[in-house]
Amino acid sequence: MSADLSPIDKAKFVAAKRACDFVEDGMRVGLGTGSTAAWMVRCLGELVREDGLNIQGVPTSSRTADLAREVGIKVISLDEAKWLDLTIDGADEYDANLNLIKGGGGALLQEKIVATASDQMIVIADIGKQVDALGGFPLPVEVIPFGWQTTKALVEETLVGLDVLGQTTTLRMNGEAPYITDEGNHILDLHLHRINNARQLSLVMNQIPGVVENGLFIDICDAVVIGHGDGRVEVRDINAGTVEEDKIDFLENENLFSDLTD
Ligand code: 5RP
């Protein structure tokens, strides 16, 4: 089965697998959303089932909650956990300072709340997510449905005064209907191409009435685990200033791949 995975999926898998080394018995762990995070949830599930790892997971979306329960992870709410030891999540982009764009999977609001309520946030990603400047990936902004067109106009007006390359905004769709987040909101995708001052943009966006949250994660991520298609992984810790390299053997993980075909 592992041979059937694309190089990108292999890269996502090895990043997820390596990040699970940071999870210790008794931890309360934030569980991210997306295809990379789904690998991490499966790997953690295997550690729970086969090695007796005792953790409580706080999912960042209904999708992740369903998967976590399916693989045997005890799921609790953020209010039950109150504070988390660690959150592991994917990202759409990360820069050299480990600032992120997230929300490609539509879960940015819960993801940001959960990551901010954690002692540590680790991002898992394939090397393709690394960028010199954020903004190549459209920036998701969650807005409440009431008056969303007015909010969109205000967002566009605000962008005129900001240091970005593009200013087009689009309403995210799910087929013919607007995409609805777990919180019942819509998402505007901002096609900015390059964001020259992400901190300013994030602060200014969140001042607009109708905007709930944006997908810029500034100073939230502590480390990134970067996967490569050949099994190599790199762990960059921004606080310690360290870079560690490792290699994951796909053959040792056959169980996880065969779980997928069940
Ligand atoms: C979901 C997210 C995801 O972490 C991000 O979109 C990356 O997804 P993937 O791991 O599938 O590439 O922010 O809201």
Side-chain angles (χ1 to χ4, degrees), residues 12 33-37 89-92 102-108 111 129:
K12 289 179 176 186
T33 296
S35 56
T36 321
D89 201 349
D92 299 301
K102 284 187 53 56
L108 69 102
E111 289 173 336
K129 306 283 182 67

Side-chain angles (χ1 to χ4, degrees), residues 131-238:
V131 295
D132 290 335
L134 298 173
F137 190 91
L139 175 66
V141 174
E142 185 153 343
V143 298
I144 64 166
F146 176 83
W148 72 266
Q149 296 189 51
T150 304
T151 305
K152 181 172 180 281
L154 275 174
V155 165
E156 283 165 355
E157 204 178 298
T158 305
L159 286 175
V160 174
L162 294 171
D163 195 0
V164 290
L165 270 191
Q167 289 166 5
T168 314
T169 66
T170 49
L171 179 69
R172 190 176 299 183
M173 301 297 286
N174 183 9
E176 297 292 300
Y179 179 86
I180 307 282
T181 69
D182 274 352
E183 305 304 318
N185 295 319
H186 294 334
I187 289 190
L188 299 177
D189 287 307
L190 277 48
H191 304 264
L192 308 175
H193 306 303
R194 185 183 174 101
I195 302 170
N196 287 320
N197 190 339
R199 191 179 304 274
Q200 180 199 32
L201 178 69
S202 176
L203 289 173
V204 171
M205 276 301 134
N206 285 9
Q207 295 297 313
I208 299 172
V211 168
V212 182
E213 192 47 87
N214 71 81
L216 284 166
F217 283 48
I218 310 289
D219 295 339
I220 294 178
C221 174
D222 297 285
V224 61
V225 183
I226 305 158
H228 298 262
D230 60 2
R232 281 179 303 119
V233 274
E234 208 180 293
V235 183
R236 281 189 215 158
D237 183 322
I238 192 88

Side-chain angles (χ1 to χ4, degrees), residues 239-257:
N239 304 315
T242 53
V243 179
E244 280 174 29
E245 288 183 14
D246 221 331
K247 185 137 192 196
I248 306 268
D249 186 353
F250 292 106
L251 290 177
E252 284 175 10
N253 296 285
E254 284 296 324
N255 286 346
L256 266 167
F257 300 124

